Amino acid sequence: MAKTPKNHGKEWTDKDVKQLDQLADGNTPTRVIALKLGRTEDSVRSKASQEDISLKPTNQSPYNRRKK
């Protein structure tokens, strides 16, 4: 059985939503966002949808890595 995330069932705080927005803007994968916030991928997708935050990747590599 899978381990329950630390924030499972807890309300989203303004700080959590702000961090979600920043991570999404930084082109961070949804799975990594979920791990950092201590939530499931489904809850991250749901909250992003409610807050009108796009989780779709932009045309850049994740974590602002660029080939030199």
Side-chain angles (χ1 to χ4, degrees):
M1 188 166 164
K3 184 178 172 186
T4 306
K6 66 179 180 178
N7 290 326
H8 179 72
K10 293 184 181 176
E11 293 291 322
W12 285 78
T13 63
D14 290 338
K15 183 180 174 185
D16 291 338
V17 174
K18 185 176 180 181
Q19 187 176 7
L20 170 61
D21 190 31
Q22 289 173 343
L23 290 169
D25 284 345
N27 204 32
T28 308
T30 307
R31 177 72 181 136
V32 176
I33 293 172
L35 288 171
K36 288 185 180 225
L37 295 176
R39 304 210 180 248
T40 63
E41 285 184 71
D42 288 339
S43 68
V44 169
R45 284 190 190 98
S46 176
K47 190 62 175 179
S49 177
Q50 288 175 5
E51 298 291 327
D52 202 28
I53 298 171
S54 176
L55 295 175
K56 292 189 178 190
T58 57
N59 288 334
Q60 60 182 348
S61 61
Y63 311 114
N64 295 324
R65 284 186 267 163
R66 296 186 181 158
K67 293 185 179 181
K68 295 181 181 179

